[in-house]
Amino acid sequence: MAEKKLMKGNEAIAEAAIRGGCRFYAGYPITPQNEIPEYMSWRLNEVGGHFVQAESEIAAINMVYGSAGAGGRAMTSSSSPGISLKQEGISYICGAELPCVIVNMVRSGPGLGGIQPAQCDYFQAVKGGGHGDYRMLVYAPNSVQECVNLMYDAYDKAEKYRLPVMMLGDGMLGQIMEAVELPPMKDPKTFPKKPWATTGEGIGKTRRIINSLYIVPDELEAMNKKLQKVYDEMAANETMVEEYKLDDAEIVLTAYGTVGRIVKSSVDLLREKGIKAGLIRPITVYPFPKDAFKRVGEMPCVKEIVAVELSTGQYIEDVKLYTECRKPVKFYGRSGGNVMSPEDVVDFVLKEVK
Amino acid sequence: MERLIVAGFGGQGVLSLGQIIAYASMYENKNVTWLPSYGPEMRGGTANCSVVVDDNPIASPVIATPDTLIAMNKPSLDKFVDKVKSGGLVLVNSSLISEKVKRDDVTVVYVDANAVAHKVGNDKASNLVVLGAYIKYSNLFPKEVMLSTIEKVFAAKPKFIESNKACFMAGYEH
């Protein structure tokens, strides 16, 4: 067994990014993700990478755009207000079909909001926070080990589909410490070649352009259709979901990320009270686990679904959409940086459900 | 499963107390989560962390009803004491908290942590005194595990190891 290390979610994401091939990081400080740039600032130097504390979030995402265009494995991270500032750059990166990784350790909003954990950037992450018909591969890890496992292969996925991967966490996930096993360092020599990257090689032979401007409507429509095909392929291959005690469940709790883990305890507490509860937790929130949710909607034993989230009701829309409204869906959420306990969810179920 | 909340002023070492338990748990091949309060609390206000130790994978790192509360100052005691589960354990830093716990359904241990730490000659390690008392009363791990954990955690600051271990033992033998 590999050696275990006690790490914060933020540190673990940074280390897993490096082991997965990240050699360029640009970012601007914001709580609760500051351990990521802090860690990158010394660690990247050790592996021959580059760290930039940019003058702004906008500068940082555009540095990532440049690095990714030149074929690098680049990353930026921030928290909600900072991620809003990056949206133009994210849209351009998607338009230019470039791979990169963006981490959002979500804090409560709107505006500057607060620094405590939240999940209020769900729409922004999965519906396209920037302009244009783009999607990203959005992971919502629930533990430090899951952060490591997903981050480790994130660049391989980003490069396979040529799009950004977003790690959608929250303040808790960034700050929590757990023991993790770290995978070995990937060898950059083994990474697939990027015939599209503006590396300067093969001068005079192949002209390589990184751009998101398509002024001719037919060309842009063709490009959009191509992107949709990529997203379909990604949905077919990359969708991930966790199911827990779902087989005979009458009450299905559903949540993603850290809340998915809090709610898992609620399922056990409800079972102790003789209530057949289960959990379905998307690990990818885009692509959404449509088939798994459709199945839940069709399960005869399921009487009601409860969507639990740290927002005023965003994730619940996809829950309703993909269970095709076959079962009633109730909402339980906290916001402002307050976090529910497993017992809070149990109380809600006992009072409001059935 | 052990669910512990450690709370006090920023600077009393409440987060590191929780971290030492987290390290010990990892060394003992237990699952552990250490969830700190973060942000403005740290600037002179209260700080706390929630630690869950379990043989099984841990679902919620958020604790509503702790098995144990370590209260290093009065605001922390006031904030959390009613949440401790019936039959649970409350450790009170009596150096800074003069009043007694009013509940009779929990075990309460009063530790004059600052005075003990001062006597040992390491004023900063009142948290380790309380840790010693906690380990004695909870039996979470053998004291040898905690002593070797202190050695590993403070490996980068070797001059503090002996006095930290002495503070831990003074609390353990309290």
Side-chain angles (χ1 to χ4, degrees), chain A residues 336-354:
Chain A
N338 286 317
V339 178
M340 69 285 287
S341 69
E343 288 83 351
D344 291 335
V345 180
V346 169
D347 289 346
F348 176 82
V349 170
L350 294 179
K351 255 186 233 153
E352 302 292 334
V353 179
K354 274 201 237 185

Side-chain angles (χ1 to χ4, degrees), chain A residues 2 38 59 66 68 71 98 145 201 226-227 230 240 271 275 300-301 336:
Chain A
E38 183 190 11
L98 294 177
Q145 187 67 57
E201 65 195 356
K226 181 180 147 196
L227 284 184
V230 169
M240 293 170 76
R271 290 254 168 191
I275 295 168
C301 59

Side-chain angles (χ1 to χ4, degrees), chain B residues 15-96:
Chain B
L15 299 185
S16 19
L17 198 171
Q19 270 186 17
I20 292 168
I21 296 164
Y23 276 106
S25 307
M26 179 177 72
Y27 297 141
E28 291 297 289
N29 287 315
K30 306 270 187 196
N31 293 297
V32 63
T33 58
W34 173 90
L35 181 65
S37 62
Y38 62 90
E41 293 100 325
M42 288 179 185
R43 294 201 288 268
T46 58
N48 70 75
C49 60
S50 302
V51 182
V52 182
V53 182
D54 201 353
D55 291 322
N56 299 313
I58 295 163
S60 175
V62 175
I63 302 173
T65 50
D67 302 302
T68 303
L69 167 66
I70 296 178
M72 294 296 286
N73 67 359
K74 182 150 185 316
S76 301
L77 183 68
D78 294 345
K79 186 173 178 186
F80 293 110
V81 72
D82 290 336
K83 296 183 171 156
V84 178
K85 78 161 190 200
S86 191
L89 174 65
V90 179
L91 288 116
V92 175
N93 178 12
S94 58
S95 306
L96 297 185

Side-chain angles (χ1 to χ4, degrees), chain A residues 97-137:
Chain A
E97 299 169 82
L98 294 177
C100 68
V101 174
I102 300 155
V103 180
N104 184 2
M105 288 299 177
V106 180
R107 56 189 252 178
S108 46
L112 269 180
I115 61 173
Q116 299 301 326
Q119 296 183 310
C120 47
D121 299 354
Y122 181 82
F123 286 155
Q124 188 195 53
V126 306
K127 310 285 181 190
H131 60 280
D133 264 338
Y134 75 85
R135 293 286 188 269
M136 299 179 286
L137 174 54

